[in-house]
Amino acid sequence: MKLTLRTSTPEDFETLYEIDQACYEPAIAYSKREFRNYLRFPGAECVIAEENGKAIGFCLTAHQQARGYIITIDVLEKFRRRGVGTALLSEVERRLAAHGVNEIGLETATGNESAIAFWQRHGYRTRGVWKGYYPGGRDAFSMTKPIT
Ligand SMILES: CC(C)(COP(=O)(O)OP(=O)(O)OC[C@H]1O[C@@H](n2cnc3c(N)ncnc32)[C@H](O)[C@@H]1OP(=O)(O)O)[C@@H](O)C(=O)NCCC(=O)NCCS
C-alpha cells in the first residue's frame, strides 16, 4: 500500500469533515461551521494522507509568526498504528519550520491516552491543563514542542 501526502483543496471539505466525525465522539467532533472556520485561520494548512487514492487521515495546522499550532490530526481507526500519523506530523512540522515557526502547540483531551502517547513519542511535552476546555466540560492538556 502506498501512502501519499498532499495539500488539501476546497473540494476535500466533505471528506475531511467525515474523517473528523469518524475520529471523535459527537460531543467533541467539529461542526461544519467550526471546521470551516479553522480552515480559514491565519496560516491554516491541511495535509491529507491517501492510500491508493483514498483519504485515510489528515492534519490541520495554523501559524502566526514563530508560533505554530496543530488544530487536529485524524487517522481513520482501521489505519492506525501503521505510521500514518507520524508521516503526517513529520510533514506538517517540516512545513511549519519552513514558515519560520520555532514552537508548536496543541491541546488534547486529558483522557485521550492514545493521542497523549503519540504526542509524547514525538517530543511534545505537557505545559498545563485547560479546565473545561471541551464541550461537556472535559479538560485538555496544553502541549508544546520546540522545533528548529
Ligand atoms: C493520535 C493518532 C493521530 C495517531 O495516529 P497513528 O497513525 O495511529 O500514529 P502512528 O502509527 O504514527 O503512531 C506513532 C507512535 O505513537 C504512539 N501511539 C500511537 N497510538 C497509540 C496508542 N493507541 N497507544 C499507545 N501508543 C500509541 C506509539 O508510540 C506509536 O508507535 P508504535 O506504533 O511504533 O508503538 C490517531 O490515534 C487518531 O487519529 N486518533 C483519533 C483522533 C485524535 O485523538 N487525534 C489527536 C487529538 S489532538
Side-chain angles (χ1 to χ4, degrees):
M1 298 291 173
K2 191 170 175 290
L3 184 75
T4 54
L5 302 177
R6 67 169 174 85
T7 304
S8 74
T9 67
E11 288 68 41
D12 294 309
F13 181 81
E14 288 296 329
T15 304
L16 298 176
Y17 177 72
E18 279 166 24
I19 293 174
D20 195 65
Q21 291 286 307
C23 284
Y24 293 95
E25 56 188 283
I28 286 189
Y30 296 137
S31 67
K32 282 196 178 177
R33 176 189 286 204
E34 285 172 319
F35 200 53
R36 264 200 200 93
N37 285 341
Y38 282 124
L39 285 163
R40 291 182 189 134
F41 261 28
E45 197 163 348
C46 184
V47 176
I48 304 189
E50 291 180 329
E51 200 171 73
N52 300 328
K54 178 187 153 36
I56 59 171
F58 70 92
C59 184
L60 175 58
T61 63
H63 66 89
Q64 265 187 311
Q65 282 104 36
R67 173 86 178 163
Y69 189 73
I70 294 176
I71 297 168
T72 192
I73 183 167
D74 300 13
V75 175
L76 287 173
E77 193 164 8
K78 84 182 232 223
F79 299 95
R80 290 180 194 161
R81 296 308 286 272
R82 289 173 30 188
V84 178
T86 299
L88 281 166
L89 184 60
S90 303
E91 176 63 12
V92 302
E93 287 181 346
R94 188 189 66 75
R95 291 181 183 208
L96 288 169
H99 287 301
V101 164
N102 60 27
E103 186 180 67
I104 303 177
L106 61 93
E107 273 82 39
T108 195
T110 55
N112 191 345
E113 287 174 15
S114 50
I116 293 163
F118 176 79
W119 296 125
Q120 286 177 339
R121 167 81 184 263
H122 291 292
Y124 289 78
R125 298 292 172 252
T126 301
R127 299 293 172 219
V129 178
W130 294 109
K131 289 282 177 195
Y133 180 84
Y134 290 105
R138 260 171 287 179
D139 302 338
F141 285 131
S142 167
M143 303 182 88
T144 63
K145 175 183 175 178
I147 58 167
T148 48

